[in-house]
Amino acid sequence: MLNNIHFTSEELSNNQATIVFVNEQLELDNTALMLDQKYHGIISKTIQNKLVSNDKTGQINVVSYICKDGELKYFIIVCIGDEGQLEDFFIEELGGKIYTKASCHKIKTIGTKITNSIGLYKSYEFATLISNGFLLASYKFDKYKTKQSDGEKCTIHSLEVSTNNKDEAI
């Protein structure tokens, strides 16, 4: 199960992965654009190459990037589709899908910055719903399962979410 969900209104710390949300027009917000520039256009190139199908809604791509210092960084690119059509259950489902994709890649720490409203949702409402889905997906019904070795286990240690109003996100 997930060890820590942390809401902040400050800049993100150095996480192993960063979640980037794109709408149906495949547009990046200012934060994502700055991140894209910092990492030499890896996000925009992935959007152009991988998110070209007709129905992009709910599509999640994980891209790895090796920094100059040899650090491996992941970007989890999530297409939320038409912002006006978003509903609570779909946003929570996206949070669960993000957890599943990150687990497959054995990512330990994840961060995202949600500073603008997304559709009818304020940034903190969207952040809360994504986090709820993430937390629900992390729950394991393993009371009677065979114990796994540490190498077989993949536990995401933390999700850090930066919003404009961290006190409202619960």
Side-chain angles (χ1 to χ4, degrees):
M1 192 162 163
L2 183 66
N3 294 343
N4 184 19
I5 294 180
H6 176 70
F7 291 97
T8 182
S9 55
E10 301 167 8
E11 289 299 314
L12 293 173
S13 61
N14 192 18
N15 292 296
Q16 189 180 7
T18 302
I19 303 169
V20 177
F21 296 98
V22 295
N23 60 18
E24 70 177 353
Q25 286 84 29
L26 304 178
E27 296 170 342
L28 299 173
D29 64 9
N30 290 338
T31 305
L33 282 172
M34 288 178 14
L35 194 63
D36 190 41
Q37 289 173 353
K38 180 179 177 182
Y39 291 99
H40 308 289
I42 191 75
I43 298 169
S44 55
K45 288 175 191 171
T46 301
I47 289 170
Q48 290 173 357
N49 293 336
K50 301 226 176 178
L51 296 177
V52 292
S53 63
N54 290 335
D55 185 22
K56 299 171 276 290
T57 303
Q59 195 171 354
I60 299 174
N61 286 287
V62 178
V63 180
S64 57
Y65 180 85
I66 300 175
C67 302
K68 288 182 181 179
D69 62 358
E71 177 189 12
L72 182 61
K73 179 90 174 152
Y74 292 94
F75 296 99
I76 302 170
I77 303 171
V78 181
C79 185
I80 58 173
D82 183 4
E83 293 179 12
Q85 301 296 320
L86 290 174
E87 296 184 30
D88 292 2
F89 73 90
F90 178 73
I91 299 170
E92 286 183 338
E93 187 177 299
L94 279 178
K97 287 180 178 180
I98 293 167
Y99 178 86
T100 302
K101 284 277 191 176
S103 293
C104 290
H105 289 274
K106 298 187 187 265
I107 297 171
K108 301 288 185 199
T109 59
I110 302 172
T112 189
K113 188 169 186 175
I114 305 170
T115 54
N116 300 322
S117 294
I118 298 177
L120 302 174
Y121 295 90
K122 295 179 177 133
S123 62
Y124 66 87
E125 293 171 327
F126 190 85
T128 300
L129 290 168
I130 286 289
S131 300
N132 285 346
F134 204 88
L135 185 62
L136 288 169
S138 75
Y139 190 79
K140 303 286 184 233
F141 298 91
D142 59 359
K143 184 174 180 179
Y144 300 106
K145 279 188 171 179
T146 304
K147 300 290 182 198
Q148 293 179 326
S149 67
D150 288 337
E152 295 174 319
K153 289 182 186 176
C154 179
T155 303
I156 296 174
H157 296 292
S158 68
L159 171 65
E160 181 181 17
V161 182
S162 177
T163 66
N164 291 338
N165 194 349
K166 72 171 183 124
D167 296 329
E168 294 288 334
I170 296 178

